Amino acid sequence: MRVLIVNTSEKTGGAAVAANRLMEALKNNGVKAKMLVRDKETDQITVAAVPHPLLMQWRFLWERLVIFANNRLSRNHLFEMDIANAGADITRLREFREADVIHLSWVNQGMLSLPGIRKILDSDKPVVWTMHDAWPATAICHYPRECDKYQSRCHNCPLLPGGGGQHDLAARTWARKKRTMEGRNIHFVACSRWLEAKAKQSALLTGQSITSIPNPIDSRTFCPADRREARMAAGLPLDKRVVLFVSQRVTDSRKGMGYFTEAMNTLAGNNPELAGETCVAVLGGHAEEVAEGLRLPTFPLGYVSDERRIVDIYNSADVFVLPSLEDNLPNTIMEAMACGVPCVGFDTGGIPEMIDHRKNGYVAAYKDAADLAEGIRWVLAEADRDALGRDARRKVAACYSQNAVAMKYIEVYNQALAFKRYRL
């Protein structure tokens, strides 16, 4: 079986990391898997780039310009929306022609346009589409938050100035998406049961096959290591408890840095003895911008791409905290758990599917900074951290191993191929 995984980036972003891990998992289980990307960053021979990079960059800029204009020349929410008005036609490429199954991953920001997706569907090749967020089920947003218009028809979009209108950019994109998917069979795979439930509520995806399969992780790379050696390699204190926060861009409000800051400051104020033994490590872009808001000693580690250093940073932590306000199945929680680090997060999205409350971490009440602080305190000062870490590792081995995830995807591919033969 030949599978072509289509993703905007080869390495940057959570979806790219997940797509790479899936490709490797499939190859390890007998599938001839390749990736096709807009942004190729390595010399990996099983990753191909869409030709004409300057044209691809123009497509990205054109989409942003159209969104910017419809946003009344405001940068607010500029990268929280995608309209797929420009992108490549990949059906002409050799990689596409050779594939038995086309597996769409995260294809936004000028990678694929809606007409391009329609051409893929018209090719009659089986199409599997992994939902790393809700964009395939909505008009323009990746996370609908409290908005439920996608359940009937997107319009009056809260991301647009003044709430948009009956015929706003969301309404027009919704109509284009509906024409693109109508009458075509797509096998959608959500990365969490939470997103699967949302996708099944979408009026866009009525009648489509929707299931959930988690992202895989290579537990040979992300695994426990000597904490002292890890901290020396990461440049973190040997004599303090380390609370870790990780995000590609730590100032992204959806990742909950505001709640993290409030929780850590509450923890420091209520537990001065514990605070004297604790520090914070922040991994991700713009980390230095949030450091001064924390009352505990803070180490802004910046953006790191080296996987070995990232593993050292996880293994330096006593607890990993990700208070996302809406998230699918965060790779960062999976990575921390694979390293045997207890995790704390809010009861939202796919997070409570990953963290088993008081077994391998702590699930705090949604948007409750006080409960988040209590969860961090419980892990640091009360719980059996070693037992939490062992349970976290068991959870990863049972649910997120490469082999387990690959076998589930192979089953979906076979179903898609069988459906094609049935139609013929």
Side-chain angles (χ1 to χ4, degrees), residues 65-342:
L65 183 61
V66 172
I67 294 173
F68 188 56
N70 279 270
N71 211 25
R72 298 180 189 171
L73 307 185
S74 169
R75 291 179 58 85
N76 290 339
H77 311 301
L78 183 59
F79 287 93
E80 296 176 43
M81 299 179 265
D82 277 287
I83 59 175
N85 64 329
D89 176 7
I90 67 170
T91 60
R92 301 179 182 181
L93 302 180
R94 176 177 57 83
E95 291 81 7
F96 183 91
R97 295 195 303 269
E98 292 177 349
D100 299 310
V101 176
I102 306 302
H103 185 151
L104 303 183
S105 187
W106 200 85
V107 294
N108 298 116
Q109 297 190 357
M111 178 62 187
L112 294 181
S113 65
L114 291 177
I117 292 172
R118 183 71 185 200
K119 283 189 175 183
I120 293 169
L121 299 175
D122 286 344
S123 74
D124 212 32
K125 286 183 180 284
V127 175
V128 173
W129 193 339
T130 293
M131 298 178 63
H132 294 282
D133 55 41
W135 186 82
T138 71
I140 64 176
C141 73
H142 293 274
Y143 287 95
R145 304 284 178 96
E146 290 79 20
C147 179
D148 61 1
K149 293 185 175 68
Y150 68 94
Q151 297 177 17
S152 52
R153 180 182 73 89
C154 286
H155 63 286
N156 291 108
C157 180
L159 294 181
L160 294 169
Q166 286 292 324
H167 305 288
D168 62 7
L169 182 63
R172 299 194 301 274
T173 304
W174 176 275
R176 292 171 59 228
K177 270 191 174 178
K178 189 174 179 65
R179 289 193 298 270
T180 297
M181 298 182 189
E182 211 164 29
R184 294 294 184 270
N185 185 265
I186 306 171
H187 294 257
F188 285 97
V189 177
C191 296
S192 65
R193 296 189 298 273
W194 165 79
L195 187 56
E196 177 189 10
K198 281 194 173 294
K200 287 180 176 178
Q201 294 174 331
S202 170
L204 271 180
L205 306 188
T206 301
Q208 299 286 6
S209 168
I210 304 170
T211 189
S212 62
I213 302 175
N215 296 326
I217 189 167
D218 184 353
S219 54
R220 296 166 301 177
T221 299
F222 288 88
C223 59
D226 183 89
R227 188 180 301 172
R228 180 181 178 85
E229 291 182 6
R231 289 190 180 184
M232 289 177 66
L236 292 170
L238 303 179
D239 59 346
K240 288 185 179 293
R241 295 180 174 90
V242 175
V243 179
L244 177 63
F245 180 100
V246 179
S247 177
Q248 183 179 358
R249 180 169 58 87
V250 302
T251 53
D252 181 353
S253 61
R254 185 173 60 84
K255 293 296 183 178
M257 174 51 78
Y259 288 93
F260 177 77
T261 300
E262 184 180 349
M264 291 308 303
N265 291 344
T266 297
L267 180 74
N270 293 344
N271 304 271
E273 190 170 310
L274 179 62
E277 303 171 350
T278 304
C279 68
V280 177
V282 180
L283 175 62
H286 304 278
E288 67 286 345
E289 296 179 20
V290 302
E292 61 185 30
L294 290 154
R295 290 172 56 183
L296 292 173
T298 301
F299 296 83
L301 303 176
Y303 180 79
V304 175
S305 58
D306 179 71
E307 198 170 68
R308 183 64 259 168
R309 178 165 166 76
I310 292 171
V311 172
D312 283 333
I313 292 168
Y314 279 121
N315 275 297
S316 299
D318 292 279
V319 60
F320 174 70
V321 185
L322 186 69
S324 290
L325 304 184
E326 194 169 26
D327 228 327
N328 187 4
L329 197 83
N331 288 329
T332 51
I333 290 180
M334 192 183 300
E335 290 163 356
M337 290 176 66
C339 293
V341 180

Side-chain angles (χ1 to χ4, degrees), residues 28 46 50 59 81 209 307 311 322 332 355 360 396 407:
N28 291 338
T46 55
V50 175
R59 287 165 174 154
M81 299 179 265
S209 168
E307 198 170 68
V311 172
L322 186 69
T332 51
I355 304 174
N360 53 40
V396 169
M407 295 309 296

Side-chain angles (χ1 to χ4, degrees), residues 24-42:
E24 295 303 319
L26 292 170
K27 289 194 295 185
N28 291 338
N29 283 273
V31 175
K32 295 179 180 178
K34 289 186 175 181
M35 278 180 67
L36 178 66
V37 300
R38 185 194 71 186
D39 304 329
K40 182 172 168 62
E41 302 170 51
T42 73

